Amino acid sequence: MNGGWAMFPLALLSLAALYIFFERYLTLKKAAKNPEGFNDRIKSMVLAGDINGAKMLCAQANTPVSRMISKGVSRIGSPLKNIETSIENVGKIEISRLERNLSALATIAGAAPMLGFLGTVTGMIGAFIAIAQAEGSVSPKLLSSGIYEAMVTTATGLIIGLPAYVGYNYLVSKIDSIVHSMEYSSIEFLDLLQEPQL
């Protein structure tokens, strides 16, 4: 409370950052979990002509990779270019879902320190106004209260902003890993469709 008005929006930003980070972390953890040997099982089912079995396996997995492959499996029989396009479109939608609210976390990482600095400036202005209005000698207590408010908001803004920035970069690296897995699986699936049938 001694930090002044800036502490209220900073508290809201910290709660929002925590919510976004943990919500995205749990979502990405779930998205990264593909069943053991998923690609190999899909390959064997497609080669055996068990299209419905491959669709069911994709539905059970319910991950970005499985939803992409499911779209490709449902398009088997169409020209390869159409299958590739449909997989790419699903991939774009899945990446958009993975990145949801990440821009908000990046904004918090940048805005919290700036808001803290704004609190610092207003605190220092308040301290100088108090000095100007004081008659006679200025007591250290009068001066220190404004400086105290200023320093508290700066520290709080940095305490919120730094973990939010680290959390944002961590989530981005997790998304990159999932996107790499999606690309690998889609390429493997398209290669499977181009294999000569014996």
Side-chain angles (χ1 to χ4, degrees), residues 100-174:
R100 187 182 298 144
N101 292 330
L102 269 193
S103 59
L105 187 60
T107 301
I108 290 169
M114 291 172 72
L115 189 57
F117 292 137
L118 179 60
T120 298
V121 171
T122 57
M124 294 302 288
I125 289 169
F128 286 116
I129 288 172
I131 292 167
Q133 291 175 345
E135 293 178 7
S137 62
V138 178
S139 67
K141 186 177 181 181
L142 184 68
L143 184 61
S144 64
S145 63
I147 296 171
Y148 178 75
E149 178 184 323
M151 294 300 105
V152 166
T153 56
T154 300
T156 305
L158 291 170
I159 287 167
I160 295 165
L162 287 172
Y165 181 71
V166 171
Y168 169 78
N169 283 308
Y170 172 76
L171 293 175
V172 166
S173 69
K174 292 281 283 183

Side-chain angles (χ1 to χ4, degrees), residues 72-93:
V73 168
S74 68
R75 293 284 189 273
I76 287 178
S78 302
L80 192 64
K81 188 66 181 172
N82 292 353
I83 297 172
E84 187 177 350
T85 302
S86 62
I87 288 174
E88 283 177 6
N89 290 338
V90 172
K92 288 174 186 174
I93 293 167

